Amino acid sequence: AGHLVNFAVKEKKIQKLAILHDSTDYGKGGMTSAVAALNQNGLKPVLVETYNNDDVDFSSQLNKIKNSGANGMIIWGLHVQGAHIMNQSKKLGVNLPIFGSSGILQGNFLELAKDSAEGAYLVSYFSTDNPDPRVQAFVKEYREKFKYDPTPVSGLAYEAANLVVSAIKKVGGDRSKIMAELKTVKDHLGVTGRLTSDAKGEMGRGGIIVQIKGNKAVTIWAAK
């Protein structure tokens, strides 16, 4: 969520963001991260609203956001609800720039949202049109081998396998040594961006921003 907030605030110059998130750990975690990133920019969310993943009517939350004075909206959730929210936003006249989570850009989101998603900005960590040479080399090799395009999950799997193989080559096959080695990863540049491990072994992914143009996701920004 940090990449998404920084993009909205620094690149798009939006200072008044409302947050709409699902009630799962994924949604709550994204909201918490977004609020923290806003705080780092000296800002607070104009409004924070939540919904459940079995909800089909988001009009109450959207009308509150419409009347909140926000000039941008963050949606942090999954693809089906994300599409419904965008469709209902259009019908209710919530004409705000939309900044969405990577969970939205999955499955049949583009089919469900159609033109309601046009112009939306979504954070991700992998896209086949990312011009980075590392990404394009991976896409070329993947297409040659499997005859179809890699997905974001393909990128994560490729990243994880490379890191594990690299650790084994360095420390051998002992599980504890491999785990310890993976925790030392710092500024690894891969197909999902820059990876650095924390003390628990969690690796923050690099971020890209895609914009929906003509019902396609087009990479327009990448974290350095």
Side-chain angles (χ1 to χ4, degrees), residues 82-125:
H84 290 332
I85 290 168
M86 291 186 198
N87 287 331
Q88 291 177 31
S89 293
K90 186 174 182 180
K91 290 179 181 178
L92 292 169
V94 186
N95 299 315
L96 300 176
I98 292 174
F99 302 87
S101 61
S102 60
I104 291 176
L105 192 61
Q106 305 292 335
N108 61 342
F109 165 72
L110 292 173
E111 179 184 343
L112 291 172
K114 298 182 179 177
D115 61 341
S116 296
E118 185 70 16
Y121 304 99
L122 304 175
V123 68
S124 188
Y125 44 86

Side-chain angles (χ1 to χ4, degrees), residues 18-96:
I19 300 173
L20 178 57
H21 68 93
D22 73 33
S23 59
T24 67
D25 288 344
Y26 175 72
K28 291 176 182 176
M31 179 273 293
T32 300
S33 178
V35 170
L38 283 169
N39 289 341
Q40 289 175 356
N41 283 284
L43 301 170
K44 292 182 179 180
V46 174
L47 183 70
V48 176
E49 288 288 317
T50 188
Y51 62 88
N52 297 317
N53 266 348
D54 56 356
D55 288 349
V56 294
D57 183 357
F58 306 93
S59 58
S60 175
Q61 297 97 321
L62 289 170
N63 277 319
K64 289 178 183 178
I65 291 171
K66 181 179 179 180
N67 297 316
S68 69
N71 57 8
M73 173 171 58
I74 292 175
I75 305 173
W76 204 273
L78 302 179
H79 69 285
V80 173
Q81 292 73 30
H84 290 332
I85 290 168
M86 291 186 198
N87 287 331
Q88 291 177 31
S89 293
K90 186 174 182 180
K91 290 179 181 178
L92 292 169
V94 186
N95 299 315
L96 300 176

